[in-house]
Amino acid sequence: MVSGAHATIELARDALTSLADGLLLIDDGGKIALLNPRAEALLGVPETAWLEMPDAEFYRALAKQAARAENLAPRFEHCAQRAVEMPRLEFALRAPQARVIEATWFALRGAHGAYGVLWRDVTRVKELEEMKSQLLSTVSHELRTPLASIKGFATTLLRQDVRWDEATQREFLRIIEEESNRLEELIDNLLDMSQVEAGALRIQKEPVQLRRLVREAVEMAQRRTETHWFVVDLPSELPRVWADPRRIRQVLNNLLENAIKYSPDGGQITVRCEVDSKRVTVSIADQGQGIPPEYLERVFDRFFQVDGANTRRMGGSGLGLAIAKGIVQAHDGAIWAEATPGQGSVFRFTLPIVKELDLGQNDDDAG
Ligand code: ADP
């Protein structure tokens, strides 16, 4: 019997140690009786300091680590006093790590005044919620704008009481076509993005001659702007790379489109390929507004835009670079940005080159 009880205590101790949530138990004298390892890690409370610490002192120490001055200590105490009602409080910590924590108080029935607190890390859940609402606002804005214009021009053209001359009719139809393309592009991007996220992006690699892809993409970009000029710098020997030509064209188009869009005053756009023993590095450099250093990695996050409202007005969903990253990574390559605010941005990506050995069974030249 004694060994049975002992075993139960051991099991309970084990359970507390491996619990995914932090647990704090306060005895009927208002002092800490237990803080499991997860709570220590999550809340950054020094291991030796906590036992028998009065709960108010603990709350004050914790409140000092909060990300915002939210008057947290009295709110923690207020929850502790109402533990029977199982109150819940969400707060953000800046130390030991930036985290969003949800705390739930509960009364312990055995001893009057004793209570417990569960600390749950809800950072990821919050991020997902944030992303979802960003998705909704982007999608609804991006879908509505072209749709409103398509509908408006179609209704105008169909009016019985007005006769539009042919030039006006064509102009209205041109706008309808352009806006439909914009809609189509957004829907394609959303589908690509969901494939990237599910790890289901289909890539059909073959040996590809980049020279042609780069030239075609630059010609297309040049047709879209009158204020930019393009410089293409390719080595005389450019080995073939393993790539899905359709997908790499998509990456090139996206980077060139951004180079144009984010250098609104025009200027030079340089496309360069450099070769080493394993890979080709393609770079696209513009002379535009650049990117603040703290955002160089985040620009590849979906929906992220350095200057959200302003950028959306320029027409963009914040998906292009996230998709480009997914595509390049599916090619075992890397993509990154280097930029100096005010002096332009450089985007680079790598693709593995085709070794003669690889070609043994699969020598269909796409170049
Ligand atoms: P968007 O549809 O907004 O262009 P992207 O995913 O292509 O979406 O780019 C994400 C963000 O990265 C842009 O909103 C912009 O803030 C920034 N960005 C991308 N390319 C450039 C560039 N060449 N120069 C400066 N900022 C850029």
Side-chain angles (χ1 to χ4, degrees):
M1 194 62 198
V2 172
S3 67
H6 186 69
T8 309
I9 291 174
E10 281 299 305
L11 280 178
R13 203 192 302 273
D14 256 13
L16 290 179
T17 308
S18 41
L19 205 62
D21 291 336
L23 177 68
L24 165 76
L25 296 181
I26 302 289
D27 65 20
D28 52 359
K31 292 188 172 157
I32 297 184
L34 182 140
L35 190 73
N36 74 344
R38 178 70 185 138
E40 284 173 15
L42 211 55
L43 309 176
V45 191
E47 214 173 314
T48 46
W50 55 264
L51 205 62
E52 305 228 325
M53 183 192 276
D55 57 354
E57 195 182 319
F58 172 80
Y59 290 144
R60 277 198 298 277
L62 187 57
K64 282 200 188 119
Q65 297 176 175
R68 291 179 285 276
E70 291 176 297
N71 218 11
L72 268 181
R75 290 169 66 202
F76 286 148
E77 286 193 52
H78 184 66
C79 289
Q81 282 151 17
R82 296 167 42 225
V84 272
E85 296 162 32
M86 299 190 77
R88 198 170 277 184
L89 187 65
E90 203 177 274
F91 59 97
L93 286 181
R94 74 184 142 69
Q97 291 159 296
R99 295 250 151 255
V100 184
I101 310 280
E102 181 193 85
T104 311
W105 279 258
F106 56 95
L108 292 171
R109 265 186 261 155
H112 181 70
Y115 68 93
V117 191
L118 267 180
W119 313 87
R120 176 165 294 169
D121 183 350
V122 291
T123 317
R124 185 75 191 131
V125 178
K126 289 276 133 190
E127 274 170 10
L128 289 175
E129 274 173 17
E130 168 90 353
M131 240 177 287
K132 206 168 77 185
S133 68
Q134 229 170 14
L135 171 75
L136 278 178
S137 84
T138 308
V139 169
S140 56
H141 176 270
E142 289 291 305
L143 290 177
R144 264 172 193 288
T145 316
L147 201 59
S149 157
I150 292 169
K151 205 171 150 191
F153 281 102
T155 310
T156 311
L157 274 175
L158 285 170
R159 273 174 66 170
Q160 303 269 15
D161 55 335
V162 191
R163 283 217 152 268
W164 303 104
D165 61 62
E166 185 163 336
T168 312
Q169 281 183 28
R170 288 199 67 81
E171 174 59 11
F172 287 0
L173 285 169
R174 190 194 58 75
I175 296 172
I176 291 177
E177 187 187 33
E178 207 175 279
E179 296 294 316
S180 312
N181 288 341
R182 206 172 133 189
L183 268 186
E184 195 177 22
E185 193 182 319
L186 177 69
I187 292 165
D188 285 347
N189 276 344
L190 284 169
L191 291 176
D192 281 351
M193 193 66 238
S194 73
Q195 282 185 4
V196 166
E197 304 222 313
L201 194 71
R202 272 205 308 276
I203 300 283
Q204 286 180 331
K205 284 191 239 178
E206 52 186 78
V208 169
Q209 185 53 259
L210 270 179
R211 190 179 302 278
R212 205 169 83 189
L213 282 189
V214 168
R215 290 240 156 89
E216 281 169 4
V218 168
E219 272 166 33
M220 212 170 90
Q222 183 72 80
R223 282 199 290 274
R224 303 187 37 183
T225 170
E226 284 171 359
T227 49
H228 299 82
W229 62 96
F230 290 80
V231 172
V232 180
D233 179 9
L234 307 176
S236 52
E237 293 279 318
L238 188 56
R240 288 178 298 174
V241 290
W242 278 118
D244 181 331
R246 185 175 76 89
R247 291 299 188 182
I248 293 308
R249 204 173 283 131
Q250 191 178 348
V251 173
L252 284 168
N253 289 344
N254 182 264
L255 295 179
L256 286 166
E257 197 176 304
N258 281 350
I260 296 173
K261 198 158 70 172
Y262 299 106
S263 51
D265 298 332
Q268 180 170 314
I269 296 174
T270 312
V271 185
R272 185 166 282 139
C273 289
E274 283 152 304
V275 185
D276 67 26
S277 59
K278 294 206 173 112
R279 59 191 77 78
V280 175
T281 305
V282 184
S283 63
I284 287 143
D286 64 57
Q287 298 178 320
Q289 61 201 47
I291 300 170
E294 64 271 29
Y295 296 137
L296 285 176
E297 282 178 29
R298 289 191 68 195
V299 291
F300 294 97
D301 290 353
R302 63 206 152 156
F303 301 119
F304 181 81
Q305 299 181 309
V306 172
D307 174 9
N310 205 7
T311 314
R312 265 196 294 282
R313 229 173 295 131
M314 288 158 81
S317 58
L319 284 174
L321 287 178
I323 295 169
K325 183 176 177 181
I327 294 176
V328 171
Q329 286 181 339
H331 281 82
D332 303 316
I335 184 165
W336 68 99
E338 298 160 11
T340 317
Q343 288 179 31
S345 315
V346 189
F347 281 81
R348 294 182 207 277
F349 66 94
T350 63
L351 290 171
I353 60 178
V354 177
K355 299 272 187 219
E356 291 311 313
L357 276 177
D358 301 335
L359 287 176
Q361 302 146 329
N362 187 7
D363 193 5
D364 53 335
D365 189 355

